[in-house]
Structure formats: structure tokens, C-alpha cells
Amino acid sequence: MKYYITTPIYYPNSSPHIGTAYTTIAADAMARLRRMKGDDVFFLTGTDENAQKIVRTAESAGLDPHTYVDGIVERFKELWKLLQISNDDFIRTTEERHAKVVQQIFTKLYEQGDIYKSEYEGWYCTPCETFWTENKLVDGKCPNPDCGREVELLKEESYFFRMSKYQDRLLKYIQDHPEFIQPASRRNEMIKFIEGGLEDLCVSRTTFNWGIKVPFDPKHVVYVWLDALINYISALGYPDGENYKKYWPANVHLIGKDIVRFHTVIWPIVLMALDIPLPEKVFGHGWFLSKEGGKISKSRGNVQDSFELIRRYGSDPIRYFLLREMQAGMDGTYSEDDLVERLNSDLANDLGNYISRTLAMVVKYNDSKVPSPGPDTDLEKELKELSSQVMATAEEKMLACDPAAALEAIWQFVSRCNKYVDETAPWNLAKDPSQRERLNTVLYTFVDSIRILGILCAPFMPGVPEKIKPLLGGGDYYGDWEQAAKWNIIPPGTVIEKGQPIFPRVDISAFTEEEQGSTGTSQGEGPQAPEKAVTPQIAPIKEEISIEDFAKIDLRVVKVLKAEKVEKADKLLKLEVQLGEEVRTIVSGIAQYYAPEELVGKKVILVANLKPAKLRGIVSQGMILAASEEGTLEVLTVQKEFSTGAIVK
Ligand code: ME8
């Protein structure tokens, strides 16, 4: 099966932002999933460079339009690379391969009488690159509810495209093909719009000369929207390129709701006039709005530098957040606080912690080796059934352009896996030698479920398989979607590694006030490779003390006997530790980094002569030592067989 998916080609009048990134990331996830299904995928994105607004922005930057767009296009390409976008081609409308197809089509439409010369007298909104008649203006301004800016009066010789001639045919097509415009609400809007009557469209301009020249009348440049839409076939080598024959018609044009009209009225009419099949589906997703309510857009000045966000949080968490946050057909809300919240809860806690805690148990209970599983109980059967259901649901939702619903289904599996740990309680099985086979089954299921999670996450967060691979012995298990429904794939005997948490927790306050306030993008700032989001300053070294001072601190080895969460305190664990004959209670702020059962049996270091302190009503008799920096913490342990009470110095 072939699968051709496109994003809009973006105006390079400013650097890409989170809103622009959403469409590209969503299309990328869809393309990746289809590739994993074995489809022959072509995924196209690019830039729409022949707009009047580009000329204006370049002028105000004191640059010629070519130099200006070249710089911004590089920013797009860099961002797509950092976000691991897997596009097969990147089309720029200033490329010769595109211009020649536009000219060929313009000439053909003119020769067959669909384009004619006349004079345009009316209004033009440059930010929207749209013509408006006087009666459509609202208070004399652009009627687009997201724009409302000044329009300009144009009176110039122009070529016109006979849209009106195709009105009935288009309406019938839309009515007969309910899949064509999605979601249904946008389809209904478009039907109403077309029923209101289509006017012929002005398709050339003479008052500036940036753009593709009309070949038989070079004082005209082709109207930017006619030029731009043609990218979807020029990139494939229309009319006789191999890719055109193989991939057209597109399976999906994924776009924002702002440009549905161009894609479902102008574009299909051009295709009808050329006698070319229409794309299967045009999906108009919602917008990302800022917390204050407006659409995230450069002109509103509410965009945050995407490069800086990637540097702080990494590419996968941003991909996950955007895909998860935009419910099908609705607008989504973006804020950095919400991004951090999702990262910490869904990625660090639900997914990352499941992986670390289960692998830690394989390390502990089976000497880091994947055991051979024994027979399944109902618990394993249920988990296995769920993985194949979730795989099917995610696939179906992605075909319906709904990544949020796909991720929701996958996270049901993540939750079920976490519940499985509690239900099977391997720390109890490990205490009873007669339960060895059962323990092996549970440990095996952990490892194989992590492999499955790697597959399910791969289209959405391509970095996840890369992170999991070395933990599961380096095997290449993540390229085939169907394998998410198959179990018992990891060979017993494979040596696993606990490794580092794949998504360390992040504390937004790790960034200074100044950094948090940074908005906007500037060409000067080069993108930086994603790195761990936390860049701790080394804490100042404390005042010097003497060896006698240090000797006052009594550090001892103790063994954790029991560990449990402290009610209504997210961060606290209550531990019971053995210190020689004595059992002490310690309250420790490590609950976000350890499941209680992970600590039981560990030999840790206690500050034994610390004055007792009451925390949440519990008297803590000392403090255990841990290394910590933002996002990660490790309790210090001793590995040799020390008796409890042994001195640390
Ligand atoms: O319209 N939320 O380019 P453009 C979600 N060149 N998506 C958003 C968004 C937001 N806040 N802001 C932008 C053009 N987008 C034309 C397209 S195609 C032949 C020509 C996304 O740079 C969304 O996909 O203004 C929207 O449709 C697109 O960026 C507009 O990009």
C-alpha cells in the first residue's frame, strides 16, 4: 500500500513555532506508523516562499527576499531535524522544479479557457494573502476572525480562474465523499460556504514581481495560493514523474483549520480542471491557543522559541505533549507548565518509572538475565489481549488523524502494566523459593512489555526505542508495528541493564526567571542539540570544617526492612531500617524516585545521630544519604555484606 501525506508548506516569514510544529509532528507520527506497517510512504513538507508578505518582511529586515527566506528555511530544516521529522522531501516554492509545473498548469488552464484576463478591483489582506470583496469586510478590516487587520484596495489587471463553473461539481463531490473533508464540522462549514456561491478567483498580481511569472504575460506573477497548492504535485514530478504516478492522489493533506477553505475549494477545483483525482482526505485540525486564549502565532507575539524548548525538555516530550494535547477537531492549549506536568506524570512517572522499576527487579531477582517464562495466568493473558487491542485502536485513530486518541489508548496499556506490577508483587514471589517459576513469568512479562512499549511509542516519540534498545540487550525489535501484538519475542538469557531513567523528572523552577520569560525567535540564535533539560549550577561549597567537626557526624550502614508511602505527601516515604538490634523509622523525601518495594532489602547510609524531627506527624530518627540533582536522585547503598550498624567514615 502506498501512503502519501503532506503538511502545509509554511510561510518562511518567521521561524517555526509550536503551532507550526504540531502539524509537522502529527504528520510525522502518521507517516512513521504507516512505514512500520510496511506501507510505501511519501511524506512531504516545505515552505511557501512567493508571498507578498515575505517581500514586506524582508524589506523591513533590510534584506532581499531570497537572502531572507534562505535564512528562515534553514531554521525550519534545523527544527525538523531536532524534532526527528522523517519527511521524504522538502519543497521550496522558489525551486525551479516547482515553478516550471506552476507555469505549465497556468498555461494549460488558460488555454482551455478556465483562466481569463480581466481587471480586479477589491481588497487584499496581505497577512492572510486573501482577496476580499467590499461586502465581506468587517468594519473595513479583514473578516478572518483570527486576523482583523487592515486590508488594501487593489485595482489591477489580473487573470481570473473560473471557480464558479465548477461549483456544482464540487458540491456534489463533497456530498458523495464524506471522508474528503474531515472532521465533519469543517465539512459542513465548507458545504455552506460553497452553497453561498463561488466567485471567480483572481490568480495573478502585477503590483510586485516576487513570485512565479505567468509565462505568456510576464508582468504578472501567479497568485501565491494557486502557486502554493500545486506543491503537492510538483514535488512528485507532475505530470509524468515516477513519484507522481506512484503516490498521487494524496491519502491525507494535514492542515490547520485556518486554511481548510483553500484546500477544499480552490485546490479540488484546480484538480478537477486538470482532470486529476482529488486527495482522499483533507483534515483540518484545531489550533494551539495560549493560556490567555489567542491562537499561538508570530503576529500575536505569544510564541516561545521552539529551539529553547527542545534544549530544555528534549524532542520526545515536546512531541508527546503536542500530540496528546490536541483533541480531534478541537483547539488545544499550550503552556510550558502543562508541558512539564505531562512530562513528569505521563513520561517520567507512568512510562519511565515502569521501565526502571521492572528492570531493577530483573537485575535484582535474576542477576540481570531475562528468565524463561513459565505458564501464563489470567493476568498475563489479559495484558497480552490488551496490547493487541491497543495496537489496533492506535492504528485506527492515526488513520483518522487523531494522535491524541491513539496515545490515550497506548497509555491505557502503560497503566495496565503498572497495575500488573502491583498485582504480581514480585518482591513477595522472590521471598518464596516455591514461586520461582511464577517470578520468572512475571519478570519475563516485564521485559517483553517494555519491548512492546518501545514499538507503540516509536511513531510518536522516535527517541524511545533508541533509549530502550540498550536496556534490553541491544536487539532491534522496534521497526514492525504488528510486533506490538506478539509476545515471547525477547530471547531468555538476554542480559538487560537498568540504565538511567529514560525520562528524568523536570522541575520548571530549574530555569531562571529570565529564561522562563524568553519568548519569540530570532535568527541569530543557533539551534542547539537537545540535551538533558536540567543544567544545574554547582551548589556553592560550604564553609570549611575540621576533621573533628566531620567526626561528629555518625554515619552507619542500615538495612531497609519496610517502605511505604506517606499518606497525602507525594514526596515522602516512611522507611523502617535495621540498625544493629534497633529498628528506626525514617521519613525520606524520595517517593518520586523510588517505588517503596524497590528499597526493601537495600543497605543504605544513615545519619544516625541527627536530632529526630517530626514530618507529617511521624518522628524521623535520622536521615538517609542520597545523591541528587534536578530530575534524578539515587540513594547511596553499599554492595558488600556489611552488618547493620557498620560505621561509614
Ligand atoms: O498558511 N496551532 O502557512 P502558515 C496549530 N503557506 N497549528 C498551527 C498554528 C497553531 N497555533 N499556527 C500555525 C500557510 N499552524 C500557507 C499554507 S499550503 C499549500 C500553504 C499550522 O505558515 C497549521 O497547520 O501560515 C496551519 O494551517 C499552518 O501552520 C499555517 O502555516
Side-chain angles (χ1 to χ4, degrees):
M1 293 260 282
K2 69 89 190 167
Y3 185 77
Y4 178 32
I5 181 162
T6 66
T7 72
I9 47 170
Y10 305 103
Y11 291 124
N13 58 335
S14 64
S15 288
H17 55 78
I18 281 299
T20 339
Y22 171 76
T23 320
T24 314
I25 294 169
D28 181 65
M30 294 170 204
R32 283 177 179 272
L33 197 153
R34 295 319 305 172
R35 280 194 205 104
M36 287 173 73
K37 283 284 293 176
D39 283 0
D40 180 355
V41 172
F42 198 87
F43 167 25
L44 178 69
T45 188
T47 40
D48 184 0
E49 307 185 9
N50 299 318
Q52 188 178 4
K53 63 175 156 188
I54 302 276
V55 184
R56 297 220 172 139
T57 326
E59 264 167 15
S60 54
L63 293 170
D64 72 277
H66 272 295
T67 313
Y68 184 78
V69 293
D70 282 353
I72 304 273
V73 168
E74 276 319 300
R75 299 284 285 171
F76 273 88
K77 290 186 172 171
E78 283 160 11
L79 185 64
W80 298 160
K81 195 165 163 206
L82 290 178
L83 287 169
Q84 300 212 48
I85 302 302
S86 63
N87 52 302
D88 295 287
D89 198 355
F90 186 104
I91 182 126
R92 297 183 58 176
T93 54
T94 45
E95 287 175 84
E96 179 53 27
R97 61 168 173 156
H98 172 73
K100 96 174 182 239
V101 176
V102 172
Q103 289 182 327
Q104 205 179 330
I105 289 175
F106 200 97
T107 308
K108 182 170 168 25
L109 295 177
Y110 178 72
E111 283 170 357
Q112 71 189 35
D114 280 319
I115 284 180
Y116 61 94
K117 196 168 180 176
S118 179
E119 179 155 288
Y120 179 74
E121 188 169 356
W123 300 89
Y124 193 75
C125 174
T126 310
C128 298
E129 300 288 356
T130 305
F131 296 96
W132 296 108
T133 50
E134 175 101 29
N135 59 352
K136 293 263 168 53
L137 301 183
V138 175
D139 299 332
K141 304 226 167 102
C142 175
N144 174 353
D146 184 51
C147 178
R149 281 169 282 193
E150 296 292 337
V151 286
E152 292 162 57
L153 186 62
L154 299 185
K155 187 170 184 330
E156 57 188 57
E157 181 189 274
S158 292
Y159 285 92
F160 282 82
F161 180 39
R162 286 187 210 281
M163 303 269 283
S164 46
K165 175 177 153 191
Y166 292 91
Q167 176 175 324
D168 295 341
R169 207 170 130 191
L170 177 63
L171 202 54
K172 181 161 180 355
Y173 186 90
I174 294 174
Q175 279 155 350
D176 292 348
H177 297 81
E179 272 296 298
F180 176 56
I181 308 178
Q182 286 290 322
S185 53
R186 314 241 188 278
R187 179 169 170 264
N188 298 337
E189 279 167 27
M190 283 308 114
I191 291 179
K192 267 205 207 109
F193 177 80
I194 300 163
E195 282 173 345
L198 295 182
E199 281 159 21
D200 289 353
L201 176 72
C202 178
V203 285
S204 75
R205 301 286 311 272
T206 48
T207 41
F208 59 95
N209 67 357
W210 172 249
I212 300 173
K213 296 205 168 9
V214 171
F216 49 86
D217 195 353
K219 74 173 192 287
H220 290 254
V221 291
V222 178
Y223 170 48
V224 64
W225 266 104
L226 178 63
D227 154 353
L229 290 161
I230 291 171
N231 91 88
Y232 299 130
I233 53 176
S234 69
L236 296 181
Y238 171 83
D240 37 37
E242 280 311 308
N243 280 343
Y244 175 71
K245 289 182 203 151
K246 191 156 148 200
Y247 295 110
W248 190 259
N251 296 69
V252 191
H253 288 321
L254 187 68
I255 57 171
K257 63 181 180 181
D258 45 335
I259 55 176
V260 170
R261 188 158 60 86
F262 299 95
H263 283 77
T264 58
V265 180
I266 303 179
W267 182 224
I269 290 183
V270 172
L271 293 170
M272 280 173 175
L274 293 172
D275 207 14
I276 294 177
L278 268 46
E280 243 171 61
K281 178 157 47 193
V282 176
F283 190 96
H285 63 69
W287 286 335
F288 265 103
L289 309 178
S290 69
K291 265 254 150 88
E292 294 70 42
K295 179 189 176 200
I296 303 253
S297 72
K298 182 71 182 178
S299 60
R300 285 175 187 256
N302 58 3
V303 299
Q304 205 170 353
D305 186 339
S306 331
F307 294 97
E308 174 58 19
L309 283 176
I310 296 175
R311 196 187 65 76
R312 287 181 189 177
Y313 305 109
S315 152
D316 280 343
I318 290 171
R319 289 178 61 115
Y320 176 82
F321 173 77
L322 294 178
L323 295 175
R324 183 77 197 249
E325 221 50 34
M326 177 90 81
Q327 305 295 323
M330 323 249 287
D331 291 332
T333 311
Y334 167 81
S335 80
E336 192 169 345
D337 286 338
D338 292 346
L339 186 148
V340 169
E341 170 71 32
R342 278 259 183 229
L343 198 172
N344 284 340
S345 68
D346 298 12
L347 299 182
N349 203 36
D350 298 349
L351 177 67
N353 194 34
Y354 173 72
I355 294 172
S356 353
R357 69 202 276 231
T358 52
L359 290 180
M361 287 190 251
V362 180
V363 171
K364 183 168 173 195
Y365 302 133
N366 207 47
D367 201 17
S368 302
K369 284 203 194 66
V370 178
S372 293
D376 284 349
T377 66
D378 285 349
L379 286 179
E380 286 76 36
K381 285 182 194 146
E382 196 194 318
L383 206 60
K384 293 182 178 184
E385 212 163 281
L386 186 65
S387 82
S388 68
Q389 272 171 26
V390 159
M391 185 196 79
T393 309
E395 187 183 326
E396 183 197 312
K397 296 293 178 191
M398 290 301 270
L399 281 175
C401 303
D402 190 356
L407 283 171
E408 212 176 298
I410 294 168
W411 251 251
Q412 274 171 18
F413 182 66
V414 175
S415 301
R416 189 68 195 82
C417 287
N418 276 301
K419 195 164 158 229
Y420 176 78
V421 179
D422 298 336
E423 287 166 342
T424 52
W427 45 94
N428 289 336
L429 299 173
K431 287 184 202 140
D432 180 353
S434 73
Q435 294 289 335
R436 185 68 233 188
E437 191 182 47
R438 180 72 195 127
L439 177 64
N440 286 349
T441 309
V442 171
L443 297 180
Y444 186 86
T445 308
F446 288 159
V447 178
D448 223 23
S449 69
I450 296 172
R451 173 189 60 81
I452 288 174
L453 286 168
I455 299 173
L456 293 174
C457 288
F460 308 89
M461 293 182 281
V464 168
E466 287 166 27
K467 287 177 188 147
I468 288 179
K469 197 173 163 185
L471 305 182
L472 302 194
D476 208 351
Y477 305 113
Y478 312 97
D480 177 355
W481 183 249
E482 306 291 328
Q483 294 281 318
K486 300 200 177 112
W487 287 75
N488 293 36
I489 299 291
I490 302 249
T494 303
V495 177
I496 64 95
E497 241 181 71
K498 181 176 183 257
Q500 295 298 312
I502 70 165
F503 289 111
R505 289 183 66 84
V506 169
D507 183 351
I508 194 167
S509 64
F511 306 109
T512 63
E513 285 300 313
E514 187 198 356
E515 274 179 316
Q516 280 185 43
S518 89
T519 53
T521 51
S522 76
Q523 248 194 295
E525 295 164 26
Q528 293 168 39
E531 58 184 48
K532 209 166 86 183
V534 196
T535 46
Q537 296 266 310
I538 162 169
I541 305 291
K542 291 180 192 158
E543 196 188 325
E544 200 173 88
I545 58 166
S546 66
I547 186 86
E548 291 77 24
D549 287 337
F550 177 70
K552 286 186 191 157
I553 304 171
D554 197 347
L555 299 173
R556 300 298 177 106
V557 174
V558 292
K559 183 173 176 185
V560 180
L561 302 174
K562 243 171 107 177
E564 60 188 29
K565 293 198 165 150
V566 175
E567 254 183 35
K568 298 197 193 111
D570 294 356
K571 296 193 173 143
L572 299 182
L573 284 186
K574 179 180 157 196
L575 311 177
E576 275 185 25
V577 299
Q578 184 85 50
L579 173 64
E581 300 284 317
E582 191 190 347
V583 175
R584 285 201 184 183
T585 301
I586 311 292
V587 180
S588 185
I590 54 174
Q592 279 155 309
Y593 304 95
Y594 286 92
E597 66 275 5
E598 282 178 82
L599 291 165
V600 176
K602 281 208 160 87
K603 288 197 172 143
V604 302
I605 315 292
L606 177 76
V607 185
N609 61 337
L610 191 69
K611 207 168 165 181
K614 212 174 201 180
L615 289 161
R616 298 272 165 160
I618 308 166
V619 178
S620 180
Q621 303 163 289
M623 187 176 86
I624 60 165
L625 299 188
S628 89
E629 64 180 22
E630 281 309 331
T632 179
L633 176 147
E634 187 172 4
V635 169
L636 300 186
T637 56
V638 289
Q639 305 302 325
K640 286 194 180 162
E641 284 305 310
F642 285 103
S643 50
T644 68
I647 292 174
V648 179
K649 54 183 182 178

